[in-house]
Each structure stands twice: as C-alpha cells, then as structure tokens.
Amino acid sequence: MYVAQVIINGIMLGNVYALLGVGMSMILGIVKLTNLAHGEFIVLGAYLSTVLAPLLGIHPILTLLITVPLMFLLGYLLQYLLIGRAMKKGNEPALLVTFGLSVILQDGMLMFFLADSQHISLPNGMGTIQLGSLEISTLHLMLFAISLVTMAALTVFLKYTYTGKAIRATADDADVAALSGVNIGRIYAIAMGVALASAAVAGLCVGMKWTYDPSAGSSYLLIAFVVVVIGGMGSIPGTLVAGILFGLAQVIGGASYGLPISYVLLLIVLIVRPKGLFGK
Amino acid sequence: MSDALLRVENLHAGYGDFVAVDAVNLAVEKGEIVALIGINGAGKTTLMHTVAGLHKPTAGNVFFKGEDITALPADKIVQKGLSLVPQGGRCFQRMSVQDNLLMGSYVRSARKNAKQTLERVYELFPDLAQMKQRPAGNLSGGQRQMVAIGRALMAAPACMIFDEISLGLAPAVINDIYRKIARINEEEHTSIILIEQDIRRAQKVSDTFCIMLKGKIVLSGKSSEIDSETLKKAYFGI
Amino acid sequence: MEKRRLNNGKIKVLDSLPMLIVCIAVILALYLVCFTQIASTNAMRYMIQIFLYIAMAEMWNLLSGFTGMTSLGQQLYIGLAGYSVAVATTMLHLSLGLGMAMGIGVSILVSLVLSLLLFRMEGMYYSIATWVVAEIFEKLFLNWKFVGQGSGMTIRVEPYPRIHSICIISLTICVCAIVVVYLLLRTKVGLGLNAMRDDVGAASAVGVNVFRHKLLVCVIAAAFTAAAASIFLVNKGIVYPESGFSISWTVSLIFIVVVGGSGTIGGPIVGSVIYVFLQEILARFPGWSNIILGVITILTILFLPKGIVGTLQQKLHFDIFSAKRFSYSKRK
C-alpha cells in the first residue's frame, strides 16, 4: 500500500512538473530557442495570482481568467518586438536576450515584491480524500486537474485549429510553412504567448503547492529543463511522461534530496543523450 | 503594367559577393506552361526562390497580376496566388498527410473552400486518400512529392512553380506526376513553371522554355519551334 | 563593390611595429603608475577592478566570442578560487601567492573533469549545463560544514599586501590574459577555434581536434578566471556561496563583452572600463543595477550587435589586436 501511495503522490506532483516544462518545451521545439527567462515568467504568474486573488476577492483559480490572457499578451509582444529581432542576429544573441530578460524580471520582482517568501493561500482549508487506505489531498487533486485540463487544451489547440497546425508545421519546416502562407514571425509570437500563458497556470500551481520568492525562477527553469530534456521538445505526451517520472524520483528521493536529484538526473541524461532522451 | 500573369524584370540576386541571378527578364502568361531549363548551379532555384519571396533580390522587380510583389515575404506572396513546390518533396514530416494538405489551405482565401479542394486533391492523387492519417515522414519520395504538390494546390494558386520534381524519383513515378501536372494546367487553367534538367521532357510538356546558364537566361522561345540540337547547345553553353 | 574592397583590406593596427611599441609603452606606463604610487588609492581601486574584469571578460570572450561555447557558469571558478584562497590563507596561514596557486590548481582540475562530461553537449545545452553545474556547486557549498555553509569564510591575508602591489598583480594577470588570448588566436589553434565556432562538424571534418581545442580553451579560461577572482575576493575579505557562485558574475561578464564587442580582443577592455564606472553610478540606485545592465545588454544586442569596438572597427576599417592569422588579400 505504501508503494501505491508513493506512486499516486509522484503522479500528482509530476503533473505540476510537466506544467512547468510544457511552455519551455514548446519554445524549444517550435521557436528553437532556449528561453532562460521561463522560470521568471512562472514566478511572475505566481505573483500575479497571489496579488489578484485577495484584491478581487475571488478564488485563486479564477485569477487565471486574467493572468492567462495577460501573460499571453506579454509573451506575444516580447517575442514580436524583442526576441524575434535578436533571433535574426543568431542563436547566441537570442539566448543572451532571454538571459537578460531573466535578470531584469528577477530583480524587478525583487524590488516590487521584496525578498519575502510568498504563498497562495486557499480560502477554505484543504482536506484529504480517503480512498481505501490511500490518502489524496484535495489540493493535489486540484493541481492534477488543472494540469490535465491545461495539457488537454494545448493538445486540442495544436491538433485541431489552423493556428495550432501552423505552429506544428513551422516546428517541422519553417521554410515550407512560409510557402504555405504562414507568417513565421507571428506564429513564433503566438507560440511564445501560449508558452507564457502556460507559465501563468504553472505559477498558480507552484504558488498553491509551495512557497516561492523572486529568486525561485532559476530552480523552476532547471526543473522545466529536466522535463524537456527527458520528454523531448515540443511533445506534450512526452512532457507529461517526463514530468511524472521526475515527480516519482522526487517523492522517492524525499524533500531534502529533491533538487540535487533533479540536477544529477539532468546531467546524467545530458551526458548519455546529449540532445535529450527523445531527441533526434 | 502588362497582361502577363507573372513578370520578372531585370532581377538580380546572389549570396554575398556571388551573383546567382544576373539581370533576368521573364514573363509567364495565364494558363501557360513554362520550362526553366539549366544545369546544376545555373541559378534556376535561386531565381524562383527570389520570385516566391524566400530570397531577397539585390535589384529588379517581380510583378504578379500587375502588382509589384518584389518586397513581399513568402507568406504574403502565397496569399496573392503564387505557390512554389520546393525541391525534394519537402513536407511537414511529423504531421499526417491530411494535416499537410490542410496546411496548404492556411491562406485565408482558401480556407472557405478547403473541404472541396481537399476532395479534388484526393481525386487527383487517389494514393494519398488511402493514407490520410499516416505521418508524411513515413512516405516514399514520390508520395511525398505528391503531398507537396497537393499542399500547394490547396491554396488554389493562379501560378505554380515546381522545383525539379523529378529529382531522385523512378521514371514511372515521374511520368505519373507529369501527367497530373498537365491535368492541373488543363482543368484549373493554372500557369505552371517547371524547373527541369531533363531537356527532352521539358521541351515535350511545355509551351515555352527558358534556358539559364551562369545566372542569365541565354535562350528562350516556343517549345514547339526549337530543334533539340540548338537547345542542347544552349544548355551546355557551347 | 568599392566599399567592400575597403572592408577586406583592413588596416591592422597591432601588426605594425609602431603600434606594438605604443602598446608596450602603455603597459609600461601603467606599471610605472603602480610602482611609483602617484595615483590616489581611489584611482588604484578602480584600476584594480578594471584589470581584473578585463582578464575575466577576455576569458569569457575566448569561450563565447571566439570558440562558440557560451558558458553561463564561469562563476564556478570564481567561487572555487575564493574558497581556495580562504582555506589557504585563513586556515592554513599560507601566503597569498600559494593561495592563488591553489585556486588556479583546483579550477584547472575541476575544469578538466567537467570537460569530460560537458563537451558532449553543444550550443544551448552546453550553456545550460554549465549553469547547472555552478548551481550544484553552490548548493554543495551551502551544505558543507568545512567551508562554513551559508555564512561562508573570511579571507585574511597576513601580511595584507599594500594596495599598489595588488594593483601590480592585477595588471600582470590582465596583461598575461590578453597576451595569451592574442597568441592563442594567432596560432593554428585560433584558426581551429574560429572554424569550430562557425561549424563544429565541418571543423572536425577538416581535421580540427575539437575535443583538444575545447579542453585547452576551457582550462585556460578556468585558470585565468580563478586567478583574477582570487584577487577580487581577497579585496572583499569574505566569500560565501551566494557571492562566489553567483550568476551575477556572468551577468557582468556578458555585459562587458557584449557592450565592448564580442569576438574582438579590444572589446572586453573597453567594456570593462565602461562597466566599472557604470557600476559606480549604479551603486546610487540599489536594486536597479542588474536591471539596467540587462536593459543595456539587450539594447546593445539589438541595435549594436557587434558592440562598441566591433562597430568602430567596421566603420573605420581598422582592426586592433587582430585575431586573424592571415590578412585578407586585396581583391583584384
């Protein structure tokens, strides 16, 4: 029974990790860019929800109605006005621009929100659900649901809409996509917008599950990167599997060895398969 | 400007210091099949990539339906009705055949009729109808070429450019594809530009021809009025 | 066409004898200033900072601008050097020189071991991996009792060197760093490095031993970064995980190289001077410093991608400290 409990906890936690990685994975797979600011965007999403929920007097989950469009817009504009231009000058300048963004965001949030740890508190205390001898906290169940809905929404978007198809086509072969009438710059901007929207959701989950502070971005980035490297870029099912694997490793490793395990896991994967487990 | 569907005027293009397309003039009438013939490195692909907006010209103009499209990016040019089928049957490898074709109707003007056009493409290439859900990356070279052609057709273009579609394919497959191109030209009245290295085939299927050598068009005229010996000499530059 | 010809027929400033003499004269003059102590203590403090940043930035530039290995983890060697010096001087009561030697030794050793692991990755993967490694070391030192965990270690050098001798040491490190980079790039190795930056596959296909080249560059970069950092941290008197292994070091180095001019030897020099003075101004706005540096870096990448020195060289058709081994022949 203990094993079953561990597996359940790992899967629940793993879904949150997958959520951290999915935006990064999209950007790597579609725009072919490592967004070093992804962790800071997640933290930004967490802050937005933390501030908005009590301000508007709504349930934290409802803040997504505001944070998701807001972050989408931010991503769209950043890619269109900034990162896209840097990409024309090469891979390295683009990488450094996202690095610059991460530094700016981190210190900006530090000045605005100060260094204190934050947490998104939920209105009514969360209990646990008893399933036979298994215990599942309602918080975990909620996170699990949010993550699954997000992944499903992304899958539907990518599979069944013209824009989603154009995004996948651009990831495959940008030249041919342009020859089919796709405005590549716009598609990249939309992809970045979607990635940041996913960061807004991830931020909410992170904020409800753990505490965070302005400098937490780099550890989220690393978790996201581990998930992407294991799951392959641009693949949503791969990201989910990788997130769950990672979640299991964390639960088995325990609280004190959580982060070190993630780093070591990443290095091992990178050493064995320099381009990722599912990479070409 | 003039009644030619596509008109290229004094076009120059190149890579760094290298001039690949040197003062090219070209006109394609509506419903016409033009063969652009030349040896490897003559500048055919660069010329057509420049026309289609994949490559920036250094000088000169391209007019399509009387409109100057020189400075437009590739996606805008497709919207005007000029489609290029790139070399080697390039497809979206990880997408299904059907999704590949549907990407062709991404252009707004084509979306409304996407369903009917898709039916027509399947009718033209019955093989593709059998493998709608297969990823394009798993297809044979000839099938991928058909997907690429079908994808271009989905945009309902007024002019199509085929870049060396016979490259690396078996003769029977090539014959088949050429028959389809002739059908497209007949039924839709689509103007067609064929980039070819096979002089005989090009002469046989086209109305007019241009021979390119070292970035320049060295000979052009009606395909039916030229003898193959002159054609061959111009092709090799002797 | 006329203009292009001019571009290729660059005037190579350091290749002419008079310019070489000027350079040596400048270096000698700087040494003289240090020895005679005519400069005020304050001026010397600025000079020390500039010299040390130049040395570290030249090394980051060697990695990123000349070899294409954009590292985000050079702070690893900065931290290692700081802790080595602290252990050597404060705990073992050794001299500063021995402490520095220890820091350099440890850094070389670590970079050799890491190279075996990290060189399988390319491009962005390499960048991230170097950062991850630095983060791992930070966490390691945070939990390591021997090095004082989170509160770190003080660095007490007995007897504490006079400021002008620190200045002389810094200048020496700086000059050595520039000369090493210059010589490295002017030999066959430099040609190989440039080829690798442009296309690793093609470089190895024409016989460049990619692994050995990368190893050489990484070890040199680790050694000089460690040397410069140990002086830096001795000046600060304390090293703790968040300072030694801080990503801010890389932020500074990226700023210096990008603003000065990536892929030029003169770039880091100009960038360092700007950085040190800018920092002085930014100190008045606590918290804003990294934000402003980040904004300037991004703007430079977008609007002046070659940096100050690179742009000047292109506009004025000259090439200070040309790293190119062969001069372009003039087109006929």
Side-chain angles (χ1 to χ4, degrees), chain A residues 32 34 36 82 86 89 92-93 95-96 99 103-104 107-108 111 221-222 225 233 263 266-267 270-271 274, chain C residues 64 70 72 117 120-121 124-125 127-128 131-132 136 247 251 254 287-288 290-291 294-295 298 301-302 305:
Chain A
K32 315 276 189 277
T34 304
L36 293 176
L82 201 68
K89 307 196 192 304
E92 201 214 17
L95 185 76
L96 293 182
F99 182 70
V103 171
I104 293 170
D107 282 31
M111 287 179 62
L221 176 73
L222 288 170
F225 197 70
M233 29 180 113
Y263 292 156
L266 173 66
L267 281 181
L270 280 177
I271 289 160
Chain C
S64 173
T70 304
L72 298 174
L117 303 177
R120 301 202 39 180
M121 294 159 228
M124 299 178 179
Y125 288 99
S127 304
I128 297 250
W131 189 8
V132 173
I136 291 178
I247 188 77
V251 177
I254 290 177
W288 282 96
N290 272 348
I291 299 178
V295 170
I298 290 177
I301 289 172
L302 289 182

Side-chain angles (χ1 to χ4, degrees), chain A residues 138-161:
Chain A
T138 33
L139 172 66
H140 279 183
L141 217 55
M142 202 160 79
L143 297 177
F144 185 64
I146 294 176
S147 167
L148 281 190
V149 168
T150 310
M151 298 290 173
L154 279 175
T155 309
V156 168
F157 167 69
L158 288 177
K159 253 200 145 97
Y160 300 108
T161 65

Side-chain angles (χ1 to χ4, degrees), chain B residues 1-78:
Chain B
M1 201 41 255
S2 73
D3 18 45
L5 183 67
L6 175 72
R7 180 175 291 282
V8 175
E9 281 179 3
N10 193 31
L11 199 67
H12 290 74
Y15 307 89
D17 282 349
F18 177 71
V19 180
V21 174
D22 192 0
V24 166
N25 289 294
L26 184 76
V28 178
E29 305 293 334
K30 185 154 176 46
E32 183 183 36
I33 299 185
V34 178
L36 183 60
I37 312 165
I39 51 172
N40 271 338
K44 311 176 297 278
T45 298
T46 308
L47 170 61
M48 284 306 141
H49 277 195
T50 312
V51 168
L54 282 179
H55 193 87
K56 291 271 162 279
T58 44
N61 287 92
V62 181
F63 296 93
F64 186 66
K65 295 176 178 169
E67 203 179 327
D68 190 348
I69 59 164
T70 320
L72 293 184
D75 54 290
K76 295 281 178 311
I77 290 179
V78 180

Side-chain angles (χ1 to χ4, degrees), chain A residues 254-266:
Chain A
S256 50
Y257 295 99
L259 219 52
I261 282 190
S262 68
Y263 292 156
V264 173
L265 203 68
L266 173 66

Side-chain angles (χ1 to χ4, degrees), chain B residues 89-105:
Chain B
R90 266 162 80 180
C91 290
F92 306 120
Q93 309 260 343
R94 282 175 294 176
M95 290 168 78
S96 69
V97 168
Q98 177 129 323
D99 277 354
N100 260 277
L101 295 177
L102 283 176
M103 269 312 292
S105 59

Side-chain angles (χ1 to χ4, degrees), chain B residues 16-17, chain C residues 4 331:
Chain B
D17 282 349
Chain C
R4 195 168 285 153
R331 262 160 216 278

Side-chain angles (χ1 to χ4, degrees), chain C residues 16-30:
Chain C
S16 56
L17 193 62
M19 280 317 291
L20 194 66
I21 294 170
V22 168
C23 275
I24 292 173
V26 168
I27 293 169
L28 285 180
L30 284 171

